[in-house]
């Protein structure tokens, strides 16, 4: 896997932070300068943080761990889904449902409900339901299919979260913190890096930057899978 260079990060616009008026003072150590009222992120620190995050991801996957990608903001959705699919990991790109991690048993029940509805659909809903009831069941199935499409096969809690925009996905980050699930996240100058185990200071609004970083994580996962035996989700060594 090739190292992401300073120039590549620069060209992607990773150095552009938010307006100074919106900054989080906890990001002070990651800010290089201020230009026209906008903070400029120190890309040398971005490189270092990204390297550390990728090392952690490789170690997690090599030991049989699974990763959950989270990116529900408009700029991130398509990228996150594509890269998670590419590396064979789970993802959330629609609304984050409160309790997805902290109340995982309830989420699993909702997924089982989706599976029941899919079985009903295969049978054409039979003669048991009226036309109105069938339409209602189909609407329920479609809604659950959209919400759970990236985690429907996630039988156990993930071993790590990869988050695009720690501030935007605050609920997901807090749930992971509560359960001691490590978090890798892109943190812009308005975010709180202390909430994240592996913060990657970078522009979280730039499509090019999101693609660059999320793609690098996916590459690291693929590399780790190819270099070691990886347990499949559902092995007895995992804990619900």
């Amino acid at each position: 896997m090739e190292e992401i260079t300073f120039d590549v990060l620069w060209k992607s616009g990773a150095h552009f932070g938010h307006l100074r008026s919106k900054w989080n003072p906890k990001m002070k150590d990651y800010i290089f300068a201020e230009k026209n009222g906008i903070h400029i992120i120190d890309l040398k620190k971005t490189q270092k943080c990204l390297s550390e995050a990728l090392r952690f991801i490789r170690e997690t996957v090599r030991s049989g761990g699974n990763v959950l990608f989270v990116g529900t903001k408009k700029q991130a959705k398509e990228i996150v889904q594509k890269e998670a699919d590419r590396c064979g990991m789970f993802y959330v790109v629609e609304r984050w449902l409160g309790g997805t991690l902290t109340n995982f048993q309830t989420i699993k029940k909702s997924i089982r409900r989706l599976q029941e509805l899919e079985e009903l659909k295969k049978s054409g809903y039979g003669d048991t339901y009226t036309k109105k009831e069938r339409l209602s069941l189909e609407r329920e199935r479609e809604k659950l299919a959209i919400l759970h499409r990236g985690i429907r096969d996630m039988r156990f809690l993930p071993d790590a979260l990869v988050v695009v925009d720690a501030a935007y996905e605050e609920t997901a980050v807090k749930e992971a913190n509560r359960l001691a699930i490590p978090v890798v996240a892109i943190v812009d100058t308005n975010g709180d890096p202390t909430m994240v185990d592996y913060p990657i200071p970078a522009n979280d609004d730039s499509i090019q930057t999101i693609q660059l970083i999320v793609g690098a994580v996916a590459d690291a996962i693929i590399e780790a899978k190819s270099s070691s035996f990886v347990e499949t989700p559902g092995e007895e060594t995992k804990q619900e």
Side-chain angles (χ1 to χ4, degrees), residues 160-177:
L161 258 64
V162 173
V163 177
V164 175
D165 193 337
Y168 191 86
E169 308 293 354
E170 182 181 11
T171 303
V173 171
K174 284 184 175 179
E175 287 191 28
N177 288 170

Side-chain angles (χ1 to χ4, degrees), residues 46-166:
T46 301
Q47 274 188 296
K48 181 181 178 182
C49 290
L50 178 57
S51 179
E52 291 172 354
L54 295 179
R55 186 181 304 114
F56 162 72
I57 289 293
R58 289 192 197 94
E59 291 172 355
T60 298
V61 175
R62 281 175 184 148
S63 64
N66 291 297
V67 176
L68 174 62
F69 288 79
V70 183
T72 65
K73 63 194 295 184
K74 184 179 179 181
Q75 301 96 311
K77 285 185 177 185
E78 184 177 343
I79 295 169
V80 167
Q81 181 173 342
K82 180 189 72 174
E83 295 299 331
D85 282 339
R86 183 168 71 87
C87 65
M89 289 296 176
F90 307 113
Y91 62 86
V92 173
V93 294
E94 299 300 330
R95 178 172 62 92
W96 178 270
L97 297 175
T100 294
L101 299 178
T102 53
N103 197 12
F104 188 52
Q105 293 304 319
T106 297
I107 296 297
K108 289 173 71 174
K109 287 179 183 178
S110 182
I111 291 172
R112 284 197 290 271
R113 173 61 176 167
L114 169 60
Q115 293 167 341
E116 290 171 3
L117 291 170
E118 288 178 336
E119 288 300 316
L120 279 174
K121 184 181 180 181
K122 286 180 183 178
S123 67
Y125 294 109
D127 300 323
T128 308
Y129 302 97
T130 66
K131 182 178 180 181
K132 183 177 180 180
E133 287 172 333
R134 287 196 294 271
L135 287 171
S136 177
L137 289 170
E138 182 59 15
R139 281 195 294 269
E140 182 185 0
R141 185 197 66 79
E142 290 176 351
K143 179 181 179 181
L144 290 175
I146 291 171
L147 283 174
H148 297 319
R149 70 177 185 269
I151 59 171
R152 56 177 300 152
D153 297 321
M154 190 173 78
R155 294 176 54 197
F156 304 93
L157 287 170
D159 299 280
L161 258 64
V162 173
V163 177
V164 175
D165 193 337

Side-chain angles (χ1 to χ4, degrees), residues 10 27-34 39-43:
W10 179 272
M27 284 295 291
K28 180 180 179 180
D29 291 342
Y30 301 105
I31 294 173
F32 176 74
E34 180 185 331
H39 277 133
I40 304 301
I41 295 168
D42 187 337
L43 293 184

